[in-house]
Amino acid sequence: MALARPGTPDPQALASVLLLLLWAPALSLLAGPTCEEDVDECLSDPCLHGGTCSDTVAGYICRCPETWGGRDCSVQLTGCQGHTCPLAATCIPIFESGVHSYVCHCPPGTHGPFCGQNTTFSVMAGSPIQASVPAGGPLGLALRFRTTLPAGTLATRNDTKESLELALVAATLQATLWSYSTTVLVLRLPDLALNDGHWHQVEVVLHLATLELRLWHEGCPARLCVASGPVALASTASATPLPAGISSAQLGDATFAGCLQDVRVDGHLLLPEDLGENVLLGCERREQCRPLPCVHGGSCVDLWTHFRCDCARPHRGPTCADEIPAATFGLGGAPSSASFLLQELPGPNLTVSFLLRTRESAGLLLQFANDSAAGLTVFLSEGRIRAEVPGSPAVVLPGRWDDGLRHLVMLSFGPDQLQDLGQHVHVGGRLLAADSQPWGGPFRGCLQDLRLDGCHLPFFPLPLDNSSQPSELGGRQSWNLTAGCVSEDMCSPDPCFNGGTCLVTWNDFHCTCPANFTGPTCAQQLWCPGQPCLPPATCEEVPDGFVCVAEATFREGPPAAFSGHNASSGRLLGGLSLAFRTRDSEAWLLRAAAGALEGVWLAVRNGSLAGGVRGGHGLPGAVLPIPGPRVADGAWHRVRLAMERPAATTSRWLLWLDGAATPVALRGLASDLGFLQGPGAVRILLAENFTGCLGRVALGGLPLPLARPRPGAAPGAREHFASWPGTPAPILGCRGAPVCAPSPCLHDGACRDLFDAFACACGPGWEGPRCEAHVDPCHSAPCARGRCHTHPDGRFECRCPPGFGGPRCRLPVPSKECSLNVTCLDGSPCEGGSPAANCSCLEGLAGQRCQVPTLPCEANPCLNGGTCRAAGGVSECICNARFSGQFCEVAKGLPLPLPFPLLEVAVPAACACLLLLLLGLLSGILAARKRRQSEGTYSPSQQEVAGARLEMDSVLKVPPEERLI
């Protein structure tokens, strides 16, 4: 064996050392006996300045913030300092191989180092753009587009194996992949319409056996919509790399028109200058529907380079300016009809549509027939449209169609209803009028724009077509048709009376009447224009006459009596209404009685409303439950009493007070008020023993004449209700004592007239019957502890001692010195100091530092039986009638019935009472002495006086003899 000399390096050992030096970094990132375990290098946080670390096999990658770079994000990027990117571009700094630089991220539609190249161009329908790109790249299409068309191909990419297409279908995005002319996959994003004329960015790419379609849109989640699907590996470009060559691309097709920009095919950008000389740069266009070119309600559709008007029937033409002429059938009573011969029968389904205008309730509209029998028939019956097919149930359209207005009629029929249809179509009738009678006879009115599916059947030759017929029609015949929708002359002869002027309103008329006549033909006279009533009464029209309606004042005088002997007995009197105001606790409002069996009454009993009805038929009658609502308060009240079922012989009666939504039901049943009308009508009494005012009083809707017409006024043809002979006229107008003139309320209080009494609504800080007393909310000591302070607005504030808080100082608060930096929340002051402190919490807060919110009514701050109510987070006390103030702490007196000076009346009254007391004592002494003198004797005169006094003291107020209820 040969030995190496000392000092001579061994070549094999030298190679091992070099290999170890080369692999040392990698070996340091591995662990385990055989270096089989990968170490997570991100555990040592190698990325600086907020960079994000991603572990890789035997290494890591740092994703740095925008302003930092390098392997560990340790290098601040300065490449964009002094950059020359245009304003619309974004500068992106770069650090590579130790050199700082930048690139310009261009806005859409531009390209190049400094975004100086335009990538936007226009595509015209029928002129697609062809392009070629190198083959072998990743299969994909990416572009931005804008258009207003709902369908068309945006771009297509083709090679010897695969084809990829981006298209709009029904205004939504669709991507299709073919392999050897066989459809492999179709992806759709169906929810977003993209033909709105705005730019939209789309992309379809094939990667790792998956086809993915992307759309960037505001309506997408996170502004990105994605649809994807798997593709068999044998069909993908990524599975078998293509040899170097050329792939073709086509932009647009026969239908697409719009603009494209930033088009990339297999990752290659297509610039307009590389696409040929005929490419139109930029995207300039005019909105086709601004200003709106369509008239008569037509809808404009922008087709990018032109527009289309979808016209409302019966209009047509490029701008809907033309109208399909209507045909009038039966003008002047002459039978009319039209007939069409169809070359081909419709089917398998049929839609019949036309415009109809008529005031006739019956007539034949349309009928399919052959030489022997009638088939499908459409006609009017009782104002409704019916469609009948032999052997099938009739179809009836809802609603009435004979109102003289123009209606669009549409009827759809299926295959079962189109058997034995017949090629003849008769419209408006048959040639012989008698043949139309089974379907209501010949039609009278107007028909327009008749269509069978999309085929228009013209009643007259169309203009500018040399009278040529549609290809579906073999012929047309018509009899007695009038062009246009023409009305009959309904004003000949003149139907208007009393000088009225007649105006034709299409197969009808309208009479313009003089001031004192009304009605369809001006036959009904108006009485109120002649001003037959003097103020304050107002005139109200009633059938065949008028009534002078007014408010009236009564003061315990005789009642107002009325009779309905002239009222028609055929008119149903199923109710009454009455308005009144009073302070009487006992009074009659209205009453009428026919013996003990029939009657009606309304009254005030013990200050409450009472009433009842007796309607014969052996029934006990209907009575308002006791007690009724309080009404003796001097305010206006309106009562309506009516039968629940007016047409019934007997019914419940209902009462509404002051327009209440829910009525009060009277107990029992009764019939109507027929006993108040006709020759045997009973007398009606109003305001008996009543002090107050009556307003409008009506029976069965007919008001009673509380006021009489002015002298010389022409009477009406009929006076339904009249004053009873000899009844004095009431005082017109509601005239109580002038309690509010001048106002008795002091300190700007508002006076309310309660009929012979008043009430004062006092302003802040004042109270009392006349607002004469200054409110002192602290007078009732509302604070449980601490000091009460009055505010100028009449409210009070409790300033609590240390250890307590809350609105009325009821809540205990732990002591703490203010000197210890106590911070009261919500701006509340800290009071006290050493040795204790207190946060005087604002309303709604509690706790040591006013940090605990309290419910507004939790502490129940209301006094004297007041009810606490929370409103908007603030407590409010609802006081009873005897107290007022913020917390019901102020007692108030009763309102005075009339304004008077207290001292000037109280002192004389006290003196008078004292004088009467002395006189009473003196007369008692004299009477006792006289009785003592007459003891044991008989005095007839004395017995007469005593007996007479006993009789008179027992006499009550006897009602008149009519008071039978």
Side-chain angles (χ1 to χ4, degrees):
M1 168 182 282
L3 298 175
R5 289 182 300 171
T8 303
D10 185 357
Q12 186 176 0
L14 182 60
S16 300
V17 171
L18 292 175
L19 183 62
L20 180 62
L21 293 174
L22 291 174
W23 283 92
L27 292 175
S28 64
L29 303 177
L30 299 173
T34 58
C35 302
E36 76 279 5
E37 297 180 10
D38 183 29
V39 177
D40 187 357
E41 291 77 22
C42 290
L43 294 177
S44 61
D45 294 329
C47 303
L48 306 177
H49 300 106
T52 302
C53 181
S54 298
D55 183 43
T56 61
V57 177
Y60 62 92
I61 297 174
C62 288
R63 292 179 175 83
C64 305
E66 294 182 358
T67 58
W68 294 90
R71 174 176 172 79
D72 299 328
C73 305
S74 59
V75 179
Q76 187 172 9
L77 302 180
T78 60
C80 284
Q81 295 179 1
H83 72 86
T84 58
C85 296
L87 293 177
T90 302
C91 179
I92 300 177
I94 298 176
F95 179 73
E96 292 181 351
S97 303
V99 178
H100 290 276
S101 62
Y102 69 91
V103 293
C104 297
H105 181 70
C106 301
T110 60
H111 179 69
F114 299 102
C115 308
Q117 292 178 286
N118 187 4
T119 65
T120 304
F121 55 93
S122 299
V123 179
M124 296 296 138
S127 301
I129 299 173
Q130 306 295 332
S132 299
V133 296
L139 185 64
L141 292 170
L143 53 87
R144 286 165 52 87
F145 75 94
R146 61 182 294 224
T147 187
T148 58
L149 299 180
T153 302
L154 302 175
T156 305
R157 180 262 186 215
N158 298 290
D159 60 26
T160 57
K161 286 188 176 182
E162 285 87 16
S163 295
L164 185 61
E165 179 188 84
L166 265 177
L168 286 179
V169 178
T172 60
L173 192 63
Q174 175 177 296
T176 307
L177 176 65
W178 290 275
S179 178
Y180 296 106
S181 302
T182 301
T183 302
V184 177
L185 183 63
V186 178
L187 300 177
R188 294 186 179 91
L189 293 173
D191 298 330
L192 295 170
L194 305 179
N195 62 331
D196 53 6
H198 298 150
W199 285 105
H200 298 290
Q201 180 179 352
V202 298
E203 179 184 31
V204 59
V205 63
L206 182 63
H207 180 64
L208 298 178
T210 300
L211 186 68
E212 189 169 85
L213 176 63
R214 302 187 187 100
L215 165 66
W216 286 263
H217 194 280
E218 293 180 354
C220 296
R223 303 174 66 91
L224 177 63
C225 289
V226 179
S228 62
V231 177
L233 291 179
S235 304
T236 63
S238 58
T240 304
L242 292 174
I246 298 297
S247 297
S248 63
Q250 176 177 300
L251 309 178
D253 64 354
T255 58
F256 177 77
C259 294
L260 302 177
Q261 67 179 199
D262 299 340
V263 180
R264 293 182 181 271
V265 179
D266 294 350
H268 298 284
L269 178 66
L270 300 184
L271 297 175
E273 54 264 29
D274 300 331
L275 299 178
E277 299 179 354
N278 297 326
V279 174
L280 182 62
L281 293 177
C283 187
E284 295 184 2
R285 69 176 293 267
R286 179 181 64 86
E287 290 194 39
Q288 300 298 317
C289 292
R290 300 276 181 105
L292 184 65
C294 311
V295 296
H296 297 124
S299 176
C300 181
V301 180
D302 190 327
L303 299 177
W304 192 256
T305 57
H306 58 286
F307 66 87
R308 181 187 75 241
C309 288
D310 293 337
C311 303
R313 298 175 67 174
H315 295 93
R316 63 177 182 174
T319 60
C320 307
D322 303 325
E323 182 177 352
I324 299 174
T328 301
F329 291 73
L331 186 65
S336 304
S337 65
S339 179
F340 300 90
L341 177 62
L342 302 181
Q343 293 281 27
E344 298 180 358
L345 291 177
N349 301 306
L350 173 64
T351 298
V352 178
S353 60
F354 53 89
L355 290 164
L356 166 72
R357 187 179 189 186
T358 186
R359 292 190 185 275
E360 301 295 326
S361 60
L364 177 62
L365 296 173
L366 179 143
Q367 185 177 75
F368 287 83
N370 52 32
D371 295 335
S372 60
L376 173 63
T377 304
V378 181
F379 60 100
L380 276 168
S381 176
E382 298 180 350
R384 301 179 182 272
I385 294 180
R386 298 175 61 91
E388 291 184 351
V389 178
S392 299
V395 176
V396 182
L397 296 185
R400 296 190 66 95
W401 302 76
D402 57 349
D403 55 3
L405 302 177
R406 188 165 69 176
H407 298 279
L408 176 61
V409 181
M410 299 191 72
L411 292 159
S412 297
F413 304 97
D416 296 341
Q417 299 167 301
L418 301 182
Q419 298 177 2
D420 302 325
L421 197 61
Q423 291 183 282
H424 290 278
V425 181
H426 302 287
V427 181
R430 302 291 294 264
L431 182 59
L432 297 178
D435 295 341
S436 306
Q437 290 305 320
W439 300 281
F443 170 71
R444 294 188 64 187
C446 298
L447 294 176
Q448 189 175 12
D449 194 9
L450 173 61
R451 299 185 188 182
L452 304 180
D453 290 330
C455 176
H456 174 236
L457 275 58
F459 297 116
F460 307 101
L462 299 177
L464 305 178
D465 63 355
N466 297 322
S467 300
S468 62
Q469 301 293 333
S471 59
E472 296 88 346
L473 296 182
R476 176 187 65 235
Q477 292 179 315
S478 61
W479 297 269
N480 296 327
L481 295 187
T482 303
C485 195
V486 183
S487 173
E488 301 280 359
D489 186 4
M490 304 301 293
C491 289
S492 180
D494 191 351
C496 306
F497 299 102
N498 299 310
T501 303
C502 182
L503 176 66
V504 175
T505 59
W506 198 85
N507 284 4
D508 201 356
F509 67 90
H510 173 74
C511 291
T512 303
C513 304
N516 55 338
F517 290 94
T518 189
T521 59
C522 306
Q524 179 181 347
Q525 184 176 354
L526 292 176
W527 307 89
C528 291
Q531 297 182 349
C533 304
L534 293 175
T538 58
C539 181
E540 184 174 330
E541 298 279 352
V542 296
D544 299 325
F546 68 94
V547 175
C548 292
V549 178
E551 296 175 352
T553 302
F554 298 85
R555 291 191 174 274
E556 289 287 342
F562 299 89
S563 171
H565 62 274
N566 287 332
S568 172
S569 57
R571 184 183 182 93
L572 176 66
L573 291 185
L576 63 86
S577 60
L578 180 145
F580 70 96
R581 64 181 302 196
T582 185
R583 299 183 64 81
D584 268 2
S585 59
E586 301 287 337
W588 291 98
L589 299 174
L590 178 149
R591 72 183 187 94
L597 298 179
E598 294 181 319
V600 59
W601 58 281
L602 284 174
V604 180
R605 294 289 180 263
N606 196 25
S608 300
L609 184 65
V613 182
R614 288 180 180 168
H617 300 282
L619 296 174
V623 180
L624 185 67
I626 297 175
R630 300 286 298 179
V631 292
D633 53 4
W636 276 105
H637 296 285
R638 286 163 177 80
V639 179
R640 183 166 73 91
L641 187 63
M643 297 179 70
E644 185 177 35
R645 294 180 296 136
T649 304
T650 59
S651 167
R652 286 200 315 169
W653 280 73
L654 305 176
L655 183 141
W656 289 264
L657 179 64
D658 297 331
T662 304
V664 177
L666 276 65
R667 295 175 180 171
L669 301 177
S671 60
D672 61 20
L673 306 180
F675 55 87
L676 300 180
Q677 60 187 354
V682 302
R683 188 167 57 162
I684 304 163
L685 299 180
L686 297 181
E688 187 178 2
N689 299 330
F690 174 78
T691 297
C693 297
L694 287 184
R696 184 180 185 273
V697 182
L699 301 174
L702 298 174
L704 299 184
L706 289 179
R708 297 174 180 175
R710 62 176 172 82
R718 169 180 289 184
E719 190 176 16
H720 300 275
F721 291 95
S723 296
W724 193 270
T727 301
I731 303 172
L732 297 186
C734 187
R735 301 178 181 178
V739 293
C740 288
S743 176
C745 304
L746 306 176
H747 304 110
D748 297 325
C751 179
R752 181 185 176 196
D753 189 336
L754 299 178
F755 193 81
D756 293 349
F758 71 91
C760 291
C762 303
W766 298 96
E767 63 179 359
R770 299 175 58 202
C771 308
E772 73 280 1
H774 188 76
V775 174
D776 183 8
C778 292
H779 178 71
S780 60
C783 303
R785 299 171 181 82
R787 302 184 304 276
C788 179
H789 291 264
T790 303
H791 290 283
D793 61 356
R795 301 173 69 88
F796 71 89
E797 175 190 1
C798 292
R799 297 183 179 178
C800 305
F804 292 92
R808 296 173 59 197
C809 303
R810 287 179 172 177
L811 303 177
V813 177
S815 299
K816 190 173 183 180
E817 295 186 9
C818 283
S819 58
L820 298 180
N821 250 347
V822 172
T823 302
C824 301
L825 303 182
D826 203 42
S828 302
C830 179
E831 299 178 353
S834 180
N838 178 54
C839 288
S840 297
C841 301
L842 301 178
E843 187 172 353
L845 297 171
Q848 178 181 344
R849 298 171 55 226
C850 305
Q851 77 278 14
V852 180
T854 61
L855 296 177
C857 291
E858 183 177 5
N860 190 19
C862 305
L863 304 174
N864 297 311
T867 302
C868 183
R869 183 179 67 179
V874 179
S875 62
E876 177 186 6
C877 290
I878 308 300
C879 308
N880 58 35
R882 296 186 295 109
F883 294 91
S884 64
Q886 181 182 0
F887 296 109
C888 308
E889 72 279 4
V890 180
K892 62 181 182 180
L894 297 176
L896 298 179
L898 285 174
F900 61 93
L902 183 63
L903 293 177
E904 296 180 6
V905 175
V907 173
C911 295
C913 292
L914 182 60
L915 180 60
L916 290 175
L917 180 61
L918 294 175
L919 291 176
L921 290 173
L922 181 60
S923 61
I925 294 171
L926 294 176
R929 182 179 298 176
K930 187 174 182 180
R931 186 181 304 110
R932 192 180 305 113
Q933 292 175 354
S934 60
E935 281 183 353
T937 63
Y938 173 73
S939 177
S941 61
Q942 205 167 19
Q943 289 287 357
E944 280 185 10
V945 172
R949 184 181 302 112
L950 180 62
E951 278 186 3
M952 295 304 295
D953 288 346
S954 64
V955 172
L956 299 177
K957 192 176 187 180
V958 180
E961 62 181 2
E962 291 88 352
R963 187 174 298 177
L964 299 175
I965 301 177

